[in-house]
Amino acid sequence: MSRNEKITAAVILVAIIFWILETTLKIPAAVTALCGVSILVVTGVLTPQDISKRLSWNTIIFIGTVMALGNVMQVVKLTTWLRIILKPVISPILGNIYITVIALPIIIYLCKFVVVSLISTGTLIIIALLPFFSTMSFSPAIIALIVTTSVNIWMLSYMDAPFLTGMAAVNDKMATRAALAKSSLGYMIINIIGLLLCVPVWKLMGIA
């Protein structure tokens, strides 16, 4: 490893530790990130030219906007409105586990076109289903599993911040967006098939 690679590796390792211990150390993740970048600049790993010309600022700003949308939607009560809209749609599908593992992922996929944040989408679905947890014939843990496997789709580029980050890291060169959309569709189908195959296992475990 070169000098710059060693410095970068050390900074990333320390940053990851601080991010993991964020709530314990009371140091915001943004502060850790800024300190890490500052160290890279001071040590010459990053130059002013790198920052001004080699970083895709358009993508960075867009990713930041996408990740913040979840909080914005909660402040303006859009998530509350969506929860009210979704309740009549979701409640009828919870009577049968097989219908649930097919219909609920599809509802989540559709929500992702509006609520781009992974966490906000999952939270929205869980909150909408909370009143029905006590009447369901299967464990609420299954709902959590369905939500976890279904929110991370990338049919359109704006729907997934990690997707945007990866594309920016390779300057949109390693794969086309059309090909990635096809892979997302494949994932969505495989996800539902996988959930269906899990139902017999869940029944054996006594949670379905």
Side-chain angles (χ1 to χ4, degrees):
M1 295 175 67
S2 66
R3 169 188 173 274
N4 287 352
E5 289 172 339
K6 291 177 181 177
I7 294 173
T8 302
V11 169
I12 291 175
L13 178 61
V14 173
I16 290 174
I17 294 172
F18 273 73
W19 286 330
I20 293 173
L21 300 175
E22 177 182 358
T23 54
T24 302
L25 300 176
K26 308 299 182 184
I27 299 176
V31 173
T32 299
L34 287 172
C35 290
V37 172
S38 299
I39 293 171
L40 295 178
V41 171
V42 169
T43 55
V45 176
L46 281 177
T47 66
Q49 290 75 22
D50 292 332
I51 295 174
S52 62
K53 296 180 180 179
R54 296 183 65 183
L55 295 180
S56 177
W57 285 106
N58 291 339
T59 304
I60 291 173
I61 293 171
F62 185 64
I63 292 172
T65 303
V66 168
M67 294 180 70
L69 277 177
N71 293 332
V72 173
M73 293 180 72
Q74 290 179 10
V75 171
V76 301
K77 307 299 182 183
L78 183 56
T79 51
T80 302
W81 176 77
L82 284 172
R83 186 176 76 245
I84 295 171
I85 295 296
L86 285 174
K87 273 187 179 181
V89 178
I90 293 176
S91 56
I93 73 173
L94 299 178
N96 184 291
I97 183 64
Y98 287 99
I99 295 176
T100 301
V101 298
I102 295 173
L104 187 56
I106 293 174
I107 292 173
I108 294 171
Y109 299 158
L110 294 174
C111 284
K112 282 288 293 177
F113 282 93
V114 181
V115 188
V116 295
S117 168
L118 304 180
I119 295 175
S120 294
T121 304
T123 303
L124 171 66
I125 297 297
I126 294 295
I127 291 176
L129 293 179
L130 276 177
F132 306 100
F133 278 8
S134 60
T135 59
M136 290 190 307
S137 60
F138 50 87
S139 170
I142 292 177
I143 298 296
L145 289 171
I146 294 173
V147 170
T148 302
T149 62
S150 302
V151 293
N152 192 28
I153 62 171
W154 56 96
M155 179 62 68
L156 299 178
S157 58
Y158 75 88
M159 297 170 70
D160 194 288
F163 165 87
L164 290 170
T165 306
M167 290 297 288
V170 297
N171 295 319
D172 290 345
K173 291 180 179 178
M174 292 185 68
T176 64
R177 293 180 184 271
L180 286 166
K182 291 179 182 178
S183 70
S184 179
L185 178 61
Y187 172 82
M188 293 157 70
I189 295 171
I190 291 171
N191 177 53
I192 293 176
I193 294 173
L195 290 170
L196 282 169
L197 293 174
C198 285
V199 173
V201 178
W202 293 333
K203 287 183 178 294
L204 288 173
M205 294 172 64
I207 61 175

